[in-house]
Amino acid sequence: MVFIVNPPTYPARPMNGGSLEKARQKIHPDAWIYEPKINGWRVLIDVRNKHMWSRYNQPSSVESKYAPVLDRLASVLAGDAPTWLDGEILGQRASCVGRGSLVVFDVVARETSPSLTAWNWEDRRVLLDRTLGSPHRKLGLALEAQAELWDINALPKQDTIYLLPHVGDEDAEGFYEELKAANARLGVELYEGVVAKRVDKPYPIQLRSPAQETTDWIKHRWKY
């Protein structure tokens, strides 16, 4: 029997920082990393029960289309599972490229380790890399990595699990321009800009409103 478990939070909502070219220099620049802002649909993922929830904490209406990647997540993370993940699903926007694929970009909570809610971004990313980005062994057989590192110069594949690349503050402007150029080269509005995250802060847990922003994540888009 599968139990429906409500999400432990709303998906973190970045505050609007404007375009990166016009943004103020960040205080403590070494404390920030930058990830691509993908043009997808935001979801929270209940790994154990293979469910997805929208940014409004409603059951996803397209969950069945992502059954293959949800099955793989539940399989590889069994016994070592971040119970809740934050990500984007592809194939609903951006000319529907990457149908059935899932981008995992953060860890929300792990039922077996409540202290995870205090882990900073670096700790959470290490957990993702260890559980999804590295080869696994089952029954003594080596398996390939369960997630691929996102390639900004290629269109996403179907039915694939992706981890996002990231850069530091010193490389952010160049990365931002690379993503903009990739949209033009690929002919798809795949990227909206970048999201800056504080590396020394925990995942921003809150249940007040899906519209409430966090100052620990800042989105820099080139279109509004």
Side-chain angles (χ1 to χ4, degrees):
M1 180 180 296
V2 175
F3 295 94
I4 302 299
V5 181
N6 290 329
T9 180
Y10 288 106
R13 187 178 182 89
M15 68 178 294
N16 186 358
S19 64
L20 191 62
E21 302 98 324
K22 299 178 181 179
R24 296 180 180 178
Q25 184 177 8
K26 290 181 174 57
I27 299 173
H28 308 304
D30 291 343
W32 296 87
I33 61 94
Y34 296 74
E35 297 175 337
K37 189 176 191 309
I38 306 295
N39 186 9
W41 278 10
R42 190 72 175 278
V43 290
L44 286 183
I45 307 146
D46 177 357
V47 175
R48 184 178 59 181
N49 294 314
K50 308 178 189 178
H51 290 309
M52 299 193 308
W53 299 73
S54 75
R55 66 162 54 253
Y56 302 102
N57 280 3
Q58 298 295 322
S60 171
S61 62
V62 296
E63 180 179 279
S64 61
K65 298 180 180 180
Y66 298 84
V69 292
L70 292 173
D71 285 343
R72 291 208 301 277
L73 272 177
S75 175
V76 73
L77 294 178
D80 194 18
T83 311
W84 289 90
L85 298 174
D86 191 353
E88 302 261 4
I89 53 176
L90 305 180
Q92 309 299 320
R93 289 181 175 173
S95 298
C96 298
V97 297
R99 290 181 184 274
S101 290
L102 173 65
V103 181
V104 176
F105 54 69
D106 219 317
V107 179
V108 178
R110 183 163 66 176
E111 189 172 284
T112 57
S113 180
S115 62
L116 179 59
T117 57
W119 286 16
N120 62 32
W121 177 88
E122 290 180 320
D123 292 332
R124 301 193 310 270
R125 180 60 193 234
V126 166
L127 179 59
L128 284 179
D129 287 340
R130 177 171 59 82
T131 54
L132 288 179
S134 301
H136 297 266
R137 292 183 176 274
K138 287 187 177 180
L139 302 177
L141 299 176
L143 300 179
E144 295 181 356
Q146 297 299 306
E148 294 188 21
L149 185 63
W150 183 279
D151 181 357
I152 68 170
N153 295 306
L155 290 174
K157 295 180 287 188
Q158 295 184 11
D159 301 320
T160 302
I161 303 169
Y162 286 103
L163 293 176
L164 286 180
H166 57 274
V167 300
D169 187 82
E170 68 281 1
D171 297 315
E173 288 188 16
F175 191 54
Y176 182 79
E177 293 302 323
E178 286 180 27
L179 295 172
K180 192 185 297 186
N183 275 351
R185 186 173 58 255
L186 297 171
V188 176
E189 290 295 316
L190 189 56
Y191 306 107
E192 299 178 324
V194 294
V195 175
K197 296 181 180 180
R198 281 289 296 259
V199 300
D200 57 342
K201 297 293 185 178
Y203 186 91
I205 299 289
Q206 66 90 14
L207 281 168
R208 292 180 60 186
S209 165
Q212 181 171 321
E213 298 176 345
T214 172
T215 57
D216 294 333
W217 292 16
I218 302 176
K219 58 186 176 185
H220 297 286
R221 298 187 297 179
W222 43 74
K223 287 187 179 180
Y224 297 92

